[in-house]
Amino acid sequence: MAERRILLRAVKSFHTFAWFTIEACMAYVLYTGFRGRADRKTGAAAVVVAGETLIFAANGFHCPLTAVAQNLGDVHGSVTDIYLPHWFARNLPAIHVPLIAVAVLLHWRAWRNNAVRHSQRRLLTGR
């Protein structure tokens, strides 16, 4: 039984680490979107966020580690209840989805503005 508790704690710790990593990527994508610039790091961060979103959606909008936590004896099958506040963990999708939408809009705006500037420059220089 002690082994299962240790493994459950390890799963929850891994989940917390992964969550912080994904949210750091989300914060970077938002930051570069507000700044109106993008680079390869932004692309890599966006791939991490998109990958997490696809995995979450493909798993029926449940964290795949939930089943692991249940198998290890967690009553609720929750991987977030120890290391994140309950209200926050419960509302992660409702918080995350609008952030993704804002990031997409910000980067679309930056791309559009850059495309307009580029086409205006081409018109002015004749190239």
Side-chain angles (χ1 to χ4, degrees):
M1 194 64 170
E3 276 183 33
R4 292 176 86 79
R5 258 187 282 136
I6 291 169
L7 286 173
L8 181 59
R9 192 169 295 267
V11 167
K12 290 183 180 199
S13 296
F14 174 77
H15 180 272
T16 302
F17 172 76
W19 179 81
F20 276 118
T21 302
I22 293 162
E23 292 310 313
C25 289
M26 185 75 244
Y28 187 72
V29 170
L30 284 168
Y31 168 75
T32 58
F34 279 117
R35 297 282 317 249
R37 65 165 227 251
D39 53 18
R40 288 183 183 188
K41 289 185 281 187
T42 304
V47 166
V48 169
V49 172
E52 183 268 343
T53 302
L54 290 173
I55 290 169
F56 188 73
N59 201 51
F61 296 97
H62 296 291
C63 179
L65 294 177
T66 298
V68 176
Q70 284 176 330
N71 289 340
L72 291 173
D74 188 80
V75 178
H76 304 292
S78 174
V79 289
T80 59
D81 61 350
I82 287 181
Y83 305 112
L84 296 174
H86 181 67
W87 68 268
F88 190 70
R90 189 177 66 247
N91 293 303
L92 279 175
I95 295 167
H96 202 67
V97 169
L99 293 177
I100 292 172
V102 168
V104 168
L105 287 172
L106 289 170
H107 283 281
W108 174 80
R109 182 190 68 176
W111 172 81
R112 186 197 62 196
N113 290 343
N114 190 33
V116 167
R117 271 185 259 127
H118 182 68
S119 65
Q120 288 172 342
R121 191 176 312 127
R122 285 179 50 197
L123 283 172
L124 292 173
T125 61
R127 296 182 197 175

